[in-house]
C-alpha cells in the first residue's frame, strides 16, 4: 500500500484540477491519496468522483491555516464535516482574508514598479476557492517578471520582501476544537519545516493533545533525517499517529512529487479509526474515504 496524505489541487494553489491530480496519483502507483487543499473542501466531490474505478482511494481533507502565538501552523484535518457551522464560519473567514489579500499584494507590487493587475492573478488562478501567494507568483511568471514560483517567493512574496502581506488565520487550539466538533482528525503538517523546533517545541506539541491533536506529519520534504528522527520520537512519546506525505502542488513546487514520502499502512489504519471515533462523538455526517477501503481481516 502506498499512501500519500497531503496534496493540493487547483481548488487552492496546486496546478492540477482534482481530476488531473487523481490521474497523476494513479500513474504514480499510489493506493491512497489525501486531498488537502488550503482551507477548503471545494475539490472533494470532483476528486472522489474521478477516483471511482481507478483503484485509488481518496481521503477528503484540508490543510487549515492557523496561528500559534506569532507563528503560522498548518493543520491537516482529515474527514471533517465541512458543513459544521463553526468550522464553516472559521474557514469562510480565512478564505475571505485570502481573497482580499490579492489586491493588497498587487498594490504593493505596483508601488514597487511592477505592472501587474488583479486580473492578471485571476487569469492564472482560474477561480480557486483559496487564493494564495502562489497564484500571484504564477502571474509574475506569466508577465515575465520572474522565471518560476520559487523566484517569485524569494524576490517578492516571502516575509520581508516587497510584496509580502500578512494574512489573518484562526487560532490553532480553537481550530483543533472545531475539527473535533466537526468529526475530523487533526495532524500538524510539516511541524518543523520552516522554523525548525523554534515555533512548536515538544512541550507545545504535548500541550495540543488535550485539544484533539492526533498526529504529526513527520516524513515531509522540509524535514531533514535528523528532524524526522526527533519528531518520530516525540510522536511515539505522545502516542500520536505518524504520517508521511508529498505536499504535492503539481508543477508549482519542485521536489514534492506524489509518493516522495508515504504513510505506513498501520499508521493510516489508526488515523481512520480515530476519524471513525471522532465522527461518532460528533454526531455529524462526516465524509468517508472513496471508494471505501477493503476491511482488513481481523
Ligand atoms: P499562502 O498560503 O498564500 O501564505 O502561501 C503559502 C503557500 O505557498 C504554501 O502552500 C507553500 O507551499 C507555497 N510556497 C511557499 N514558498 C514557496 C516557494 N518558494 N515556491 C513555491 N511555493 C511556495
Ligand atoms: Zn500550498
Ligand atoms: Fe503547508
Ligand atoms: Fe501543503
Amino acid at each position: 500500500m502506498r499512501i500519500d496524505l497531503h496534496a493540493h489541487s487547483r481548488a487552492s494553489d496546486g496546478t492540477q484540477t482534482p481530476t488531473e491530480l487523481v490521474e497523476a496519483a494513479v500513474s504514480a502507483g499510489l493506493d491512497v491519496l489525501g486531498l488537502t487543499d488550503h482551507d477548503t473542501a471545494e475539490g472533494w466531490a470532483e476528486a472522489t468522483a474521478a477516483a471511482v474505478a481507478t483503484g485509488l482511494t481518496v481521503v477528503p481533507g484540508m490543510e487549515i491555516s492557523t496561528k500559534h502565538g506569532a507563528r503560522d501552523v498548518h493543520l491537516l484535518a482529515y474527514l471533517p464535516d465541512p458543513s459544521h457551522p463553526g468550522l464553516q464560519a472559521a474557514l469562510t473567514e480565512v478564505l475571505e482574508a485570502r481573497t482580499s489579500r490579492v489586491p493588497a499584494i498587487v498594490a504593493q507590487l505596483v508601488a514597487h514598479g511592477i505592472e501587474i493587475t488583479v486580473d492578471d492573478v485571476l487569469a492564472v488562478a482560474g477561480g480557486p476557492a483559496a487564493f494564495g501567494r502562489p497564484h500571484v507568483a504564477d502571474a509574475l511568471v506569466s508577465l515575465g517578471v520572474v522565471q518560476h514560483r520559487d523566484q517569485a517567493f524569494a524576490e517578492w512574496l516571502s516575509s520581508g520582501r516587497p510584496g509580502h502581506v500578512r494574512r489573518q488565520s484562526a487560532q490553532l487550539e480553537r481550530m483543533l476544537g472545531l475539527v473535533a466538533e466537526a468529526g475530523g482528525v487533526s495532524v500538524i503538517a510539516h511541524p518543523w519545516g520552516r522554523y525548525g523546533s523554534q515555533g512548536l517545541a515538544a512541550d507545545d506539541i504535548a500541550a495540543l493533545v488535550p485539544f484533539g491533536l492526533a498526529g504529526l506529519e513527520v516524513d515531509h520534504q522540509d524535514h531533514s533525517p535528523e528532524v524526522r528522527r526527533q519528531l518520530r520520537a516525540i510522536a511515539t512519546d505522545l502516542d500520536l499517529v505518524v504520517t508521511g506525505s508529498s505536499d504535492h502542488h503539481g508543477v508549482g513546487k519542485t521536489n514534492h512529487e506524489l509518493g516522495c514520502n508515504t504513510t505506513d499502512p498501520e499508521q493510516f489504519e489508526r488515523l481512520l479509526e480515530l476519524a471513525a471515533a471522532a465522527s461518532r462523538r460528533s454526531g455529524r455526517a462526516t465524509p468517508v474515504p472513496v471508494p471505501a477501503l477493503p476491511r482488513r481481516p481481523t
Side-chain angles (χ1 to χ4, degrees):
M1 282 258 275
R2 296 189 73 220
I3 302 163
D4 182 342
L5 292 178
H6 181 168
H8 298 263
S9 77
R10 284 178 72 86
S12 64
D13 56 6
T15 61
Q16 295 153 306
T17 64
T19 301
E20 288 165 348
L21 180 62
V22 163
E23 288 166 358
V26 172
S27 297
L30 293 180
D31 299 289
V32 177
L33 176 73
L35 176 63
T36 54
D37 276 304
H38 297 286
D39 307 307
T40 184
E42 182 79 12
W44 291 4
E46 183 184 325
T48 50
V52 171
T54 62
L56 179 81
T57 292
V58 168
V59 178
M62 52 181 81
E63 183 177 19
I64 304 178
S65 312
T66 77
K67 282 235 165 341
H68 185 256
R71 196 202 149 169
D72 289 327
V73 173
H74 290 181
L75 185 66
L76 292 162
Y78 294 104
L79 301 163
D81 172 7
S83 72
H84 176 276
L87 180 62
Q88 192 175 38
L91 292 176
T92 300
E93 264 183 47
V94 176
L95 291 175
E96 285 174 359
R98 284 181 166 282
T99 303
S100 62
R101 187 174 57 156
V102 172
I105 295 175
V106 166
Q108 285 190 200
L109 293 173
V110 169
H112 282 82
I114 297 185
E115 288 182 35
I116 181 174
T117 66
V118 170
D119 281 345
D120 293 328
V121 180
L122 300 185
V124 293
F131 281 97
R133 284 175 285 168
H135 299 118
V136 181
D138 290 348
L140 291 171
V141 173
S142 76
L143 293 167
V145 176
V146 294
Q147 301 293 314
H148 42 71
R149 280 188 181 183
D150 270 345
Q151 191 186 354
F153 271 87
E155 294 181 5
W156 297 102
L157 302 172
S158 292
S159 178
R161 306 308 299 170
H164 185 256
V165 176
R166 271 191 78 76
R167 174 169 53 73
Q168 170 220 322
S169 52
Q171 208 239 342
L172 174 58
E173 285 87 345
R174 174 164 168 259
M175 202 45 97
L176 284 166
L178 287 174
V179 170
E181 272 183 36
V185 278
S186 290
V187 173
I188 298 198
H190 44 76
W192 291 357
R194 289 272 199 83
Y195 311 87
S197 59
Q198 299 308 306
L200 211 56
D203 286 355
D204 298 316
I205 294 173
L208 295 171
V209 175
F211 290 91
L213 180 66
L216 298 180
E217 185 182 58
V218 171
D219 290 306
H220 184 280
Q221 295 299 78
D222 290 356
H223 292 155
S224 68
E226 175 57 17
V227 162
R228 295 180 191 209
R229 197 189 60 71
Q230 292 178 24
L231 285 172
R232 210 177 292 279
I234 292 171
T236 304
D237 259 7
L238 298 173
D239 198 27
L240 294 172
V241 173
V242 167
T243 70
S245 301
S246 63
D247 201 356
H248 184 64
H249 282 67
V251 295
K253 225 174 171 185
T254 50
N255 196 27
H256 286 260
E257 295 318 312
L258 285 166
C260 63
N261 299 293
T262 56
T263 298
D264 185 279
E266 279 179 26
Q267 296 293 316
F268 178 54
E269 194 79 17
R270 262 187 82 197
L271 193 72
L272 291 180
E273 280 164 15
L274 291 169
S279 172
R280 281 193 298 275
R281 268 198 308 276
S282 72
R284 306 288 309 177
T286 54
V288 291
V290 177
L293 290 155
R295 296 286 308 159
R296 281 210 315 188
T298 44

